Amino acid sequence: MRNFLADDIVNIKPSGIRKFFDIVSEMKDAISLGVGEPDFDTPWHIRDEGIYSLEKGRTFYTSNSGLKELKQEICNYMKRSQNVEYNPDTDVLVTVGGSEAIDIGFRAMINPGDEVLIPQPSYVSYEPCAILAGAKPVIINLKAENEFRLTSEELLNAITEKTKILVLPFPNNPTGSIMEKDDLEKIAKIIIEKDIFVMSDEIYAELTYKDKHVSITSIPGMKERTLLINGFSKAYAMTGWRLGYACGPSEIIKQMTKIHQYAIMCAPTTSQYAAIEALKNGDADILEMKTAYNQRRRYLMSAFKKMGLECFEPFGAFYVFPCIREFGMTSEEFATKFLTEEKVATVPGTAFGDSGEGFLRISYAYSLETLKIAMERLEKFVSRLRA
Amino acid sequence: MREELLAIIEKNSRIDTKDLAVLLGVQEIDIINELAKLQDDGVICGFHTLINWEKTDIEKVTALIEVRVTPQRGQGFDSIAERIYKYPEVRAVYLISGGFDLLVILEEKSLKEIANFVSDKLSTLDSVLSTATHFILKKYKDHGIMFSEKYEDKREAITP
């Protein structure tokens, strides 16, 4: 029989996280700190709105780009949180999670050979999605000494005349790193000067523990050259609803809407109705969850300090990224050994790019009780390794 | 810090001051001082345990009693409320807007004891005009805690 597989797809590596998943699922009593989603249930008033929409028989397709009321609420949110104005009719596309927006955003902009700058460690989809869109991914290895922020030197060094898009993944998964206003201003200058475009994945925008998140779209001159990606998964604990969105210049949104129209039709209708309720009345829920995350974040930082484990203080998302270089093991070796000996699952930093080597992603989307048990085991493990 | 501190201990009064200091990012001594002050000020009134008595063999009957009263000159409802809340079997007394005046929550070992309280003590008070007693048949949720549901992590073990 002929080979029916597409070479491009076969050549793409499956996500490095999979392997750990398989080991953990075999272990009955393992504690996992490996999850990239909130531990909270979706707030009841949001779920109730989804249920209500089903009761009302709102079970049809919506328009391709999403419910008008939802797009309006997304624009209201961008206005009140970042003072950035979008036109709900032309500048917004409701997608199946932020993930779809990443995929079709690349596809709408990439011509073969265009270079996409991807700072790493970062979320696992940027590189494969860029490759699938025909781009040449160019990795920028972020450094622990810069708290994994993107510096203007790093950016400048990576730009060539083929550079088209910079992916900006902040607040960052897996490092928890954020970019503050002055960090953004420095790179915005270069972006404008070099005439490149930004895909800013701000899915963790609501989860910052220092000042309020600053979107790069709010930096003068940047809204015109940024595709903003956000969604409901992290802020409202709505991962399973699969709902995200992209805001950007109408020419790009128009092309993305075309792909979305042919590949997806429209994002799930029930989720869209629930999301309207989230944006209208969900601020208090965000605050409550964020307060809990921040307490756990402080707890982990204090636990690391006690056991002498090096870790910069992250101010975003719900991850900490401690350094395990002192033990002379790779991240994968460390995570595997920790899992088999102490039954705690973490994710090796290398799952998010080579520059994650020497680090471990620990999620604090867990109850304090779980984190405490896990930290006791980590302390035991670490002292054993040092002995 | 006060609001966040209260929010934590409202849900978990057993958490120790060391942990509280870590969670709130302050010194333990600040927590100890603040807790002392909150008790002095009467903000913190007690440290109770939420018990689902239905899961035990101990009989408890809870009743909500609507009470209509004549307010007294110069004292409004306060003095009649006091006459009622001084009974130890009375768990709570609230002044309520709407069709009646006081809501009295009573906990006893049997229906009969509640009936006796209402007929002998409550109804005989001069300013009490009428009472309506509702017995609680089942508690689904109390103090923000759902009695029937237990948290279970339904997520996949590892996700990106």
Side-chain angles (χ1 to χ4, degrees), chain A residues 63-76 85-94 246-251 253-254 257:
Chain A
S63 76
N64 294 128
S65 61
L67 289 168
K68 191 170 163 76
E69 195 186 350
L70 176 56
K71 289 186 287 178
Q72 183 62 58
E73 284 302 330
I74 290 167
C75 294
N76 295 350
E85 285 186 45
Y86 286 104
N87 179 341
D89 296 323
T90 55
D91 305 345
V92 183
L93 173 64
V94 179
C247 298
S250 58
E251 317 86 78
I253 294 295
K254 195 173 159 192
T257 306

Side-chain angles (χ1 to χ4, degrees), chain A residues 8-169:
Chain A
D8 283 355
I9 308 297
V10 173
N11 290 335
I12 283 186
K13 273 193 306 191
S15 166
I17 271 177
R18 190 73 222 171
K19 192 180 132 192
F20 267 79
F21 178 78
D22 292 338
I23 311 175
V24 181
S25 343
E26 294 292 304
M27 277 186 179
K28 270 243 152 23
D29 45 352
I31 296 181
S32 174
L33 301 184
V35 170
E37 63 178 320
D39 57 319
F40 299 98
D41 290 334
T42 307
W44 179 254
H45 66 104
I46 299 172
R47 282 190 271 165
D48 193 42
E49 205 54 37
I51 296 166
Y52 181 71
S53 78
L54 290 173
E55 280 177 355
K56 280 275 173 190
R58 292 171 184 157
T59 55
F60 302 101
Y61 297 129
T62 68
S63 76
N64 294 128
S65 61
L67 289 168
K68 191 170 163 76
E69 195 186 350
L70 176 56
K71 289 186 287 178
Q72 183 62 58
E73 284 302 330
I74 290 167
C75 294
N76 295 350
Y77 164 76
M78 281 309 292
K79 174 74 186 159
R80 72 172 179 267
S81 66
Q82 300 293 337
N83 202 22
V84 176
E85 285 186 45
Y86 286 104
N87 179 341
D89 296 323
T90 55
D91 305 345
V92 183
L93 173 64
V94 179
T95 56
V96 179
S99 322
E100 187 208 341
I102 294 166
D103 175 27
I104 65 176
F106 282 135
R107 287 204 269 160
M109 290 189 278
I110 298 294
N111 286 315
D114 285 343
E115 290 181 0
V116 172
L117 303 180
I118 303 173
Q120 284 182 350
S122 59
Y123 186 60
V124 297
S125 335
Y126 307 122
E127 194 178 346
C129 284
I131 293 171
L132 289 174
K136 179 180 168 219
V138 175
I139 306 303
I140 301 177
N141 289 314
L142 301 177
K143 294 187 190 73
E145 64 253 39
N146 302 323
E147 298 187 345
F148 293 100
R149 294 171 196 227
L150 174 65
T151 66
S152 34
E153 297 76 47
E154 288 167 333
L155 176 59
L156 263 177
N157 288 339
I159 293 175
T160 70
E161 65 269 24
K162 285 189 181 150
T163 305
K164 192 178 222 173
I165 299 173
L166 165 70
V167 175
L168 206 57

Side-chain angles (χ1 to χ4, degrees), chain A residues 58-330:
Chain A
R58 292 171 184 157
T59 55
F60 302 101
Y61 297 129
T62 68
S63 76
N64 294 128
S65 61
L67 289 168
K68 191 170 163 76
E69 195 186 350
L70 176 56
K71 289 186 287 178
Q72 183 62 58
E73 284 302 330
I74 290 167
C75 294
N76 295 350
Y77 164 76
M78 281 309 292
K79 174 74 186 159
R80 72 172 179 267
S81 66
Q82 300 293 337
N83 202 22
V84 176
E85 285 186 45
Y86 286 104
N87 179 341
D89 296 323
T90 55
D91 305 345
V92 183
L93 173 64
V94 179
T95 56
V96 179
S99 322
E100 187 208 341
I102 294 166
D103 175 27
I104 65 176
F106 282 135
R107 287 204 269 160
M109 290 189 278
I110 298 294
N111 286 315
D114 285 343
E115 290 181 0
V116 172
L117 303 180
I118 303 173
Q120 284 182 350
S122 59
Y123 186 60
V124 297
S125 335
Y126 307 122
E127 194 178 346
C129 284
I131 293 171
L132 289 174
K136 179 180 168 219
V138 175
I139 306 303
I140 301 177
N141 289 314
L142 301 177
K143 294 187 190 73
E145 64 253 39
N146 302 323
E147 298 187 345
F148 293 100
R149 294 171 196 227
L150 174 65
T151 66
S152 34
E153 297 76 47
E154 288 167 333
L155 176 59
L156 263 177
N157 288 339
I159 293 175
T160 70
E161 65 269 24
K162 285 189 181 150
T163 305
K164 192 178 222 173
I165 299 173
L166 165 70
V167 175
L168 206 57
F170 296 96
N172 182 273
N173 171 11
T175 63
S177 171
I178 56 169
M179 292 280 279
E180 291 178 88
K181 196 169 177 214
D182 53 331
D183 302 315
L184 291 172
E185 280 166 349
K186 279 181 214 148
I187 63 161
K189 227 176 109 197
I190 299 166
I191 289 162
I192 294 168
E193 203 179 285
K194 300 283 182 183
D195 192 21
I196 53 183
F197 202 85
V198 173
M199 178 187 277
S200 188
D201 183 351
E202 302 181 22
I203 191 81
Y204 291 97
E206 288 300 321
L207 301 179
T208 57
Y209 312 102
K210 210 173 177 183
D211 299 323
K212 225 166 117 341
H213 169 72
V214 179
S215 170
I216 191 150
T217 56
S218 69
I219 308 287
M222 285 309 299
K223 185 196 142 190
E224 298 76 6
R225 49 176 69 248
T226 301
L227 182 69
L228 170 96
I229 295 173
N230 202 337
F232 298 86
S233 295
K234 317 295 177 181
Y236 302 99
M238 290 178 72
T239 44
W241 299 75
R242 305 310 307 125
L243 205 69
Y245 56 87
C247 298
S250 58
E251 317 86 78
I252 295 171
I253 294 295
K254 195 173 159 192
Q255 300 309 318
M256 286 172 70
T257 306
K258 242 171 17 191
I259 311 173
H260 177 78
Q261 172 184 6
Y262 292 128
I264 305 280
M265 274 300 274
C266 68
T269 304
T270 314
S271 306
Q272 292 192 51
Y273 280 105
I276 295 170
E277 170 66 18
L279 283 172
K280 272 186 171 165
N281 299 311
D283 287 358
D285 305 300
I286 294 179
L287 186 64
E288 198 184 325
M289 293 189 262
K290 185 171 136 168
T291 306
Y293 290 137
N294 196 13
Q295 291 168 2
R296 300 165 185 179
R297 184 185 68 92
R298 290 189 188 122
Y299 170 74
L300 287 184
M301 289 312 293
S302 137
F304 293 157
K305 203 171 155 194
K306 246 183 245 162
M307 59 183 105
L309 201 60
E310 192 186 321
C311 184
F312 81 97
E313 186 172 3
F315 291 105
F318 37 63
Y319 310 103
V320 288
F321 207 56
C323 177
I324 47 104
R325 279 188 191 138
E326 59 164 305
F327 304 103
M329 278 184 253
T330 66

Side-chain angles (χ1 to χ4, degrees), chain B residues 28-46:
Chain B
E28 190 183 5
I29 185 72
D30 297 334
I31 296 284
I32 293 170
N33 290 338
E34 183 70 5
L35 286 172
K37 191 162 178 347
L38 284 162
Q39 287 189 67
D40 278 352
D41 295 350
V43 177
I44 295 174
C45 308

